[in-house]
Amino acid sequence: MIMKIENLKFVYNPNTPFEQKALDNINLEIKEGEFIGLIGHTGSGKSTLVQHLNGLLKPTSGNIIIDGVNITEKDADLKAIRQKVGLVFQYPEHQLFEETIYKDIAFGPKNLGLKEDEVRERVKEAMELVGLNYEELKDRSPFELSGGQKRRVAIAGVLAMKPKILILDEPTAGLDPRGRDEILGEIQQLYEKEKITIILVSHSMEDIAKLVNRILVMHRGKIVIDGETREVFKKSKELEELGLGVPQITKFMMKLKERDKNIKDTVLTVEEAKVEILQYLRRKKNA
Amino acid sequence: MLKDITIGQYFPGNTLIHKLDPRVKIIITALFIVSLFFIKSFIPYLFIVAFILLVAKVAKIPIKYILKGIRPLMFIILITFLINIFMTKGEVLFEIGPLSVTKEGLYLAVFMALRLLFLITGTSLLTLTTSPISLTDGIEKLLSPFKKIGLPAHELAMMMTIALRFIPTLLEETDKIMKAQMARGADFESGNILSRAKNLVPLLVPLFINAFRRAEELATAMEARCYRGGDNRTRLNELKLNKTDIISLVSMFIFFGLIISSRYLLR
Ligand SMILES: Nc1ncnc2c1ncn2[C@@H]1O[C@H](COP(=O)(O)OP(=O)(O)OP(=O)(O)O)[C@@H](O)[C@H]1O
Ligand SMILES: [Mg+2]
């Protein structure tokens, strides 16, 4: 168990007219190596939840235990926690500040007090992980890059801290379809290569369906659905009521199943659907 | 943290006070400030307290919330209090080391501290019950007679509106960037003054870049909608004084007039 959350509650601006309950009794266990999709409508509390996981927000009540350490305790070592749990914010390109890309990515490792050699190694590695050419780009200003590239620099800045748990808050928000697929592809590779635990926040099912092996659905500060990806999509009615829905291809297969029970509708990608339909046709011919 | 700053923050509501014409509220606030400086004894202070409590009650603003706004300025009040209590000459009450506390000093210190306290709470009632937009509308209207002598009333009001509009945005952004850098191990809370100032770079650079970007976007958006300043510009909601406004204005003129004249009468 790498992470355990018990009865987590959080209220913004308590005791003012702007009081806002954001998290309501969250209980959660996450195992090492899981790839989790955290999904929910705008304002459901996703960002609030992930900011608790590295101690940026202090819960109103409840406990968060990471790697055996209760991070909600007063004397918790926040620096160590933030190294262990890397958090990439929504629109992370807005936090870039250094003159060169190298320096910006090196900011995190330097704060950890690492030696110059080690820092350079890590910057190089992190840039390669997100598909940026180290030699070509390291001395350029991060502000001359395109939006998608800026975002990669920002993600590399967190990866360079070598977190055990990586949390990405809507890493594809505001990117075009190609930029989105590239970033998601890189996250997928990262997961396969580094075997770290990843939590991917999104409000699009299409984005996360192909990647993750477990889905958490949030609604009004609560986790309302928690399960293995394919299991979660079986609850398409519930999902639709929450305004989320299932990927188009899954929906298509569900429609097909309504016509003939013998077809499987637990597919997540077009590729899988193709295989299933071909098999189905073959079965039908043989019968 | 940053969110605790409540001075100048609007406290939404739908009460009589909220609905009063902003010009009336600005004038009453000005009267309030002037009369505070005319008060020379404690008795009129009772009326001031009554006024503040009454307004807060009608506007449905918790007293606790108003007092929260004083917290950032507590330091100034305290300094004034200490300077007055130790620096005033007169009949010595007791001594602490080289410092002596006089009867006059004590009186003056309490008096001045109260004056500051009322000044802050009274003016904050204005901003608490008036949305920034109607506040600047009121200021623009009040300043418009001075347009003839070349005062750009509309531009000033527009600048104020924009500034007020972006304070919460900037605070939010500061909060977000701070968190993002803290997630990368940045430390804003420890170290000496020099290293603390240096640690602010990762916060300030993105904050300025984003602010400039936003300003540019706003200018473009305004231009795209043909904004070109105050001349011949009509408005959606014309400010109009109604009966309640007039009654409030007149009764407050009488009320504060009495307080001011009490200085000469109560002797
Ligand atoms: N800094 C803040 N101060 C006050 N309320 C906040 C703050 N941040 C978020 N909230 C409120 O808390 C609730 C949860 O917000 P949160 O940002 O966690 O949602 P989200 O699921 O990340 O949404 P999105 O998909 O839009 O990013 C919302 O109702 C929001 O208005
Ligand atoms: Mg969010």
Side-chain angles (χ1 to χ4, degrees), chain A residues 17 51 82 90 95 104 111, chain B residues 11 179-182 184:
Chain A
Q51 285 174 38
R82 285 173 193 162
Q90 236 163 333
Q95 79 202 24
D104 211 290
N111 283 329
Chain B
F11 189 103
K179 279 184 187 160
Q181 307 298 25
M182 274 153 76
R184 293 206 279 164

Side-chain angles (χ1 to χ4, degrees), chain A residues 208-224:
Chain A
I208 59 172
K210 296 171 237 176
L211 298 176
V212 305
N213 40 45
R214 177 176 167 196
I215 289 183
L216 304 171
V217 180
M218 283 194 79
H219 183 64
R220 301 217 176 132
K222 283 191 166 77
I223 291 184
V224 288

